[in-house]
Amino acid sequence: MNLVDLVTMAREAQRLAYAPYSGFRVGAALLTEEGHIYTGANVENASYGLTVCAERIAVFKAVTAGECRFQSIAIAGSGLDYIYPCGACLQVLAEFSTNIKIIAVNENDDLREYYLGEMLPQVFSLDTSSRRVK
Ligand code: THU
């Protein structure tokens, strides 16, 4: 699986977005350590705050299929800007991997690559929280 294939799958997933409120469709493709790919698209709601981003849909699909070790995630949207995960999605990704590669894509399929640690350098993690309750 190369990055271009992962981006293509994120782009295909984007078509399945349910985004009648923002009109902004996002697709994500998550590659697991086992080599499987889980895709997601944003799902909005009339109660706006209940909207779930494409990245979290992909993560939750993988985790509920029994896979929670991730290599990389590609995120594709519309517009010239690169699509970066929101803070909530970074936190959810960090639950499973602080080393995951994040591939941000713009509408021309230009790529920018990061590691989660660059985007969320100080993370509230299981380690941090369990240290707190001791
Ligand atoms: N959105 C995502 O799905 N992923 C991102 O990385 C950024 C934002 C969605 C949420 C909402 O449905 C729409 O984009 C506009 O914010």
Side-chain angles (χ1 to χ4, degrees):
M1 166 61 53
N2 62 40
L3 288 191
V4 173
D5 293 336
L6 201 63
V7 169
T8 300
M9 293 194 71
R11 193 60 82 196
E12 283 172 8
Q14 186 189 5
R15 295 206 310 256
L16 298 172
Y18 176 76
Y21 302 102
S22 73
F24 191 71
R25 304 162 83 85
V26 182
L30 176 70
L31 176 64
T32 67
E33 293 279 350
E34 289 85 345
H36 299 133
I37 293 168
Y38 295 86
T39 58
N42 51 330
V43 178
E44 298 186 343
N45 191 272
S47 179
Y48 293 178
L50 298 182
T51 292
V52 183
C53 293
E55 297 92 319
R56 272 177 285 156
I57 300 267
V59 169
F60 295 156
K61 280 167 72 175
V63 172
T64 55
E67 296 191 50
C68 54
R69 293 183 308 130
F70 307 140
Q71 283 187 27
S72 49
I73 185 167
I75 306 135
S78 305
L80 284 177
D81 289 337
Y82 291 86
I83 305 299
Y84 302 115
C86 75
C89 288
L90 290 174
Q91 178 67 31
V92 167
L93 288 167
E95 178 73 18
F96 303 104
S97 168
T98 50
N99 269 333
I100 186 172
K101 184 184 283 186
I102 294 170
I103 302 129
V105 184
N106 70 8
E107 71 176 3
N108 296 328
D109 284 349
D110 301 318
L111 314 183
R112 284 184 182 169
E113 293 175 43
Y114 303 88
Y115 285 96
L116 188 131
E118 298 173 75
M119 300 184 113
L120 191 67
Q122 306 297 338
V123 64
F124 181 77
S125 69
L126 199 58
D127 288 346
T128 317
S129 55
S130 58
R131 246 184 270 127
R132 285 192 176 180
V133 292
K134 274 180 200 157

